[in-house]
DNA sequence: TCTGGGGTCCTAGGACCC
DNA sequence: TCTGGGGTCCTAGGACCC
C-alpha cells in the first residue's frame, strides 16, 4: 500500500435551476423574474421563484398562491436536451473521466490532469466560465476528494457558485451541516434521524456504526457512517449503461373507462419498446406501475425466461398484469399507469428465432435440432419453454460467433 | 401541498436447488 | 426421526435522486 497524496480532484458540476435557466436565457423578459416551468405541477423553478417558496413538484395553484407574479411557461424539452449536450461537450473537453448523473449534472475526475493542466480549483473556475460564455447558463461546481463531498459542496455553493473542500478540512466542512444536505438522506431518513435528536452530520458522526445500522438498516447505516467519516469512493464511474427503461402517464381522477386505460397502457408499451429497440437491448422483466386516488401505489411484474424486444410480448404481459389488478383498481381508483422494462440485455445475445404452438419437451428438442441444422450446433446457446406457454425460444450467439 | 416523469438501489419473503 | 445452510431468482414494496 502506497500513501497517495490526498487531493481534491473530483468536480461535481450542476446546472442551476436548469429548465428555468434555459427559459430565462432564451427569453430576456423572464430574466430577474420568478419563473416556473411546467403546467399542472412545477417541473423547475428559477431562484427568484425558489426564494419565494416555489418548489419542484409543487402544484401550480399552490405555487401561484405563494408567488402571485410567477411566470409559468410550458416545458421545451428539445431545448433542454440541446443545452445539456452542449454543456456535456465542455465536460468531455475538460477530462475524459465524466460520469453523467442526470440531464443537468455530472462528476468529473481531474486527478489525472495534474501534470498537464492547472489545479482542480482553477479547472472548476474555467469550466464555469466556459459554460456561461458558450452556453449562457449558470453552473455551480463543488470540488473535493470524493464524489460524495463534491456533491455536498455544490449543494452548499448553489446557486452560481464554486466551493473547494480541501482534504484536511473535510470534517470542519461537513459536520456542521444539517443532515438534509447529505446526499442520500431524504425526507424519511432525515425525519428518523431528527426523531433521535440528530440534526447535523456531526451528530451522526458521533454514533457508532453499530448504532447507525440499528437505526437505519444495514445499507443506509453503513453508507451514512462511512460518508460522515470521509470514507467514500474517490472514483467516478464511466460507461455504465442504464438498467431500466420506463414510461408513465397520469390519468387524472377517474373513473376511467377500461378501454381508455388499456389504450393508455399500450401507448406506453409502444414508447418503451421503441426506446428499447433503439438502444439495441432486450428486456427480461416487465413491471406495471399503478397509482391510486389515495396516492397508494402498487407494482406488478413478470419475468420472461428470455429477453424480448417485441412490443407484442410486452403488451400481452402488461395487459395481463393490468387485468389481474382489476380488484385493486376498482377499489382504490386508478390515477396513474406506467410500465418499466428491466433486466435489460444486449439484443445481440438473445434472439428468439423459433416459436411452436403447444410447446412441450419434445417440441423443444425438435426446435433445437432445427436451429442446429440451419445455423450449426454452436449457434444454440440456450433453449427452453417460454413462460406462459407462448412458444419456444432458441437464442443465438451474436453474428459471427456461431460459426 | 393533494403530487410529473424519469431513474437507481435496498429489503424481504418464498421458491427452488444443491 | 430430526435436523442444516447457502445461493439465486422472482416478486413487491419502499427510499431516494433529479
Amino acid at each position: 500500500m502506497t500513501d497517495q497524496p490526498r487531493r481534491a480532484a473530483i468536480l461535481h458540476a450542476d446546472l442551476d435551476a436548469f429548465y428555468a435557466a434555459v427559459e430565462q436565457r432564451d427569453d430576456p423578459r423572464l430574466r430577474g423574474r420568478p419563473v416556473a416551468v411546467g403546467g399542472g405541477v412545477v417541473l423547475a423553478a428559477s431562484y427568484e421563484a425558489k426564494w419565494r417558496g416555489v418548489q419542484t413538484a409543487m402544484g401550480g395553484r399552490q405555487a401561484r398562491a405563494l408567488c402571485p407574479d410567477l411566470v409559468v411557461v410550458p416545458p421545451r424539452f428539445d431545448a433542454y436536451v440541446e443545452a445539456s449536450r452542449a454543456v456535456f461537450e465542455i465536460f468531455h473537453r475538460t477530462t475524459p473521466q465524466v460520469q453523467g448523473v442526470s440531464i443537468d449534472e455530472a462528476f468529473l475526475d481531474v486527478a489525472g490532469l495534474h501534470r498537464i493542466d492547472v489545479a482542480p480549483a482553477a479547472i472548476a473556475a474555467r469550466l464555469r466560465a466556459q459554460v456561461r460564455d458558450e452556453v449562457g447558463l449558470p453552473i455551480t461546481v463543488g470540488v473535493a476528494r470524493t464524489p460524495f463531498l463534491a456533491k455536498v459542496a455544490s449543494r452548499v455553493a448553489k446557486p452560481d457558485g464554486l466551493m473547494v473542500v480541501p482534504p484536511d478540512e473535510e470534517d470542519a466542512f461537513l459536520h456542521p451541516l444539517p443532515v438534509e444536505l447529505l446526499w442520500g438522506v431524504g425526507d424519511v431518513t432525515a425525519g428518523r434521524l431528527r426523531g433521535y435528536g440528530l440534526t447535523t452530520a456531526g451528530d451522526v458522526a458521533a454514533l457508532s456504526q453499530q448504532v447507525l445500522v440499528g437505526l437505519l438498516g444495514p445499507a443506509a447505516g453503513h453508507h451514512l457512517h462511512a460518508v460522515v467519516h470521509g470514507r467514500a469512493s474517490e472514483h467516478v464511474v464511466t460507461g455504465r449503461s442504464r438498467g431500466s427503461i420506463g414510461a408513465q402517464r397520469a390519468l387524472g381522477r377517474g373513473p376511467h373507462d377500461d378501454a381508455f386505460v388499456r389504450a393508455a397502457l399500450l401507448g406506453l408499451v409502444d414508447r418503451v419498446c421503441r426506446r428499447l429497440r433503439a438502444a439495441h437491448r432486450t428486456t427480461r422483466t416487465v413491471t406495471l406501475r399503478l397509482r391510486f386516488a389515495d396516492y397508494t401505489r402498487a407494482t406488478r411484474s413478470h419475468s420472461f425466461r428470455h429477453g424480448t424486444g417485441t412490443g407484442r410480448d410486452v403488451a400481452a404481459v402488461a395487459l395481463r398484469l393490468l387485468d389481474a389488478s382489476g380488484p385493486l383498481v376498482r377499489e382504490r381508483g386508478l390515477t396513474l399507469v406506467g410500465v418499466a422494462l428491466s433486466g435489460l440485455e444486449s439484443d445481440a445475445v438473445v434472439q428468439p428465432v423459433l416459436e411452436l404452438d403447444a410447446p412441450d419437451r419434445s417440441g423443444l428438442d425438435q426446435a433445437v435440432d432445427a436451429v442446429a441444422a440451419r445455423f450449426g450446433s454452436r449457434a444454440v446457446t440456450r433453449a427452453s419453454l417460454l413462460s406462459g406457454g407462448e412458444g419456444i425460444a432458441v437464442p443465438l450467439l451474436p453474428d459471427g460467433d456461431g460459426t
Side-chain angles (χ1 to χ4, degrees):
Chain A
M1 291 287 267
T2 58
D3 261 359
Q4 293 285 330
R6 290 155 58 90
R7 278 199 309 265
I10 304 293
L11 277 54
H12 179 255
D14 195 343
L15 290 154
D16 302 313
F18 177 47
Y19 294 177
V22 172
E23 297 304 330
Q24 288 178 316
R25 176 195 69 178
D26 293 347
D27 184 351
R29 293 170 302 175
L30 299 178
R31 292 177 198 166
R33 299 178 63 188
V35 174
V37 176
V41 301
V42 175
L43 295 175
S46 72
Y47 274 86
E48 295 85 352
K50 288 185 187 190
W51 288 324
R52 312 265 292 269
V54 178
Q55 291 175 11
T56 298
M58 182 178 274
R61 201 178 315 155
Q62 191 202 352
R64 274 181 237 264
L66 283 164
C67 182
D69 54 338
L70 185 70
V71 184
V72 180
V73 299
R76 295 181 301 138
F77 290 106
D78 289 350
Y80 312 146
V81 169
E82 169 54 26
S84 174
R85 192 205 54 72
V87 172
F88 270 76
E89 202 267 316
I90 295 173
F91 292 165
H92 285 286
R93 202 198 299 161
T94 303
T95 170
Q97 301 295 315
V98 176
Q99 175 185 355
V101 178
S102 70
I103 191 169
D104 61 356
E105 62 177 295
F107 292 109
L108 288 75
D109 185 344
V110 300
L113 307 180
H114 65 285
R115 285 184 209 284
I116 58 173
D117 204 340
V118 292
I123 294 176
R126 186 183 65 206
L127 180 72
R128 278 170 31 78
Q130 287 173 332
V131 171
R132 172 174 299 284
D133 295 345
E134 297 176 30
V135 193
L137 294 174
I139 188 166
T140 295
V141 180
V143 185
R145 185 177 52 84
T146 69
F148 173 84
L149 285 164
K151 170 81 185 178
V152 176
S154 76
R155 278 190 177 176
V156 172
K158 272 185 169 297
D160 201 13
L162 167 62
M163 175 170 283
V164 180
V165 180
D168 57 354
E169 295 174 23
E170 288 174 0
D171 285 357
F173 161 72
L174 197 62
H175 287 187
L177 297 179
V179 291
E180 285 81 2
L181 275 180
L182 301 178
W183 191 29
V185 174
D187 283 346
V188 175
T189 303
R192 214 171 278 172
L193 292 173
R194 286 187 178 272
Y196 290 104
L198 308 166
T199 60
T200 68
D203 293 341
V204 176
L207 300 181
S208 72
Q209 185 174 47
Q210 197 184 353
V211 168
L212 213 44
V213 166
L215 254 46
L216 304 177
H222 283 123
H223 171 255
L224 199 53
H225 186 263
V227 296
V228 295
H229 289 288
R231 294 195 314 275
S233 165
E234 299 187 13
H235 304 289
V236 306
V237 182
T238 60
R240 218 170 33 171
S241 57
R242 75 167 76 257
S244 70
I245 294 174
Q248 54 186 15
R249 182 176 161 189
L251 304 172
R253 306 220 156 222
H256 302 293
D257 203 310
D258 200 43
F260 168 73
V261 174
R262 294 171 75 87
L265 180 58
L266 290 177
L268 295 170
V269 167
D270 184 54
R271 220 153 80 200
V272 293
C273 286
R274 280 173 197 274
R275 287 165 57 195
L276 185 71
R277 287 191 294 269
H280 299 290
R281 309 287 286 279
T282 59
T283 177
R284 286 212 44 229
T285 302
V286 179
T287 301
L288 176 73
R289 291 185 196 291
L290 303 173
R291 203 181 65 198
F292 305 105
D294 59 2
Y295 284 94
T296 57
R297 288 177 284 264
T299 63
R300 295 292 180 267
S301 67
H302 174 83
S303 296
F304 300 107
R305 287 236 196 281
H306 296 293
T308 179
T310 66
R312 198 198 57 177
D313 292 345
V314 175
V317 165
L319 289 175
R320 205 167 72 219
L321 293 171
L322 179 64
D323 288 341
S325 310
L328 216 48
V329 168
R330 279 187 292 277
E331 193 180 309
R332 302 192 204 166
L334 193 63
T335 57
L336 177 143
V337 62
V339 61
L341 308 178
S342 57
L344 304 185
E345 299 169 336
S346 163
D347 70 358
V349 178
V350 178
Q351 285 290 351
V353 295
L354 269 178
E355 292 189 11
L356 302 183
D357 293 333
D360 58 20
R361 187 66 223 180
S362 66
L364 179 66
D365 292 340
Q366 285 173 26
V368 170
D369 289 346
V371 169
R374 191 165 145 204
F375 298 101
S377 61
R378 290 187 56 210
V380 181
T381 57
R382 280 192 282 175
S384 67
L385 301 179
L386 280 178
S387 57
E390 295 130 335
I392 286 172
V394 181
L396 301 178
L397 288 170
D399 283 347
D401 285 7
T403 53

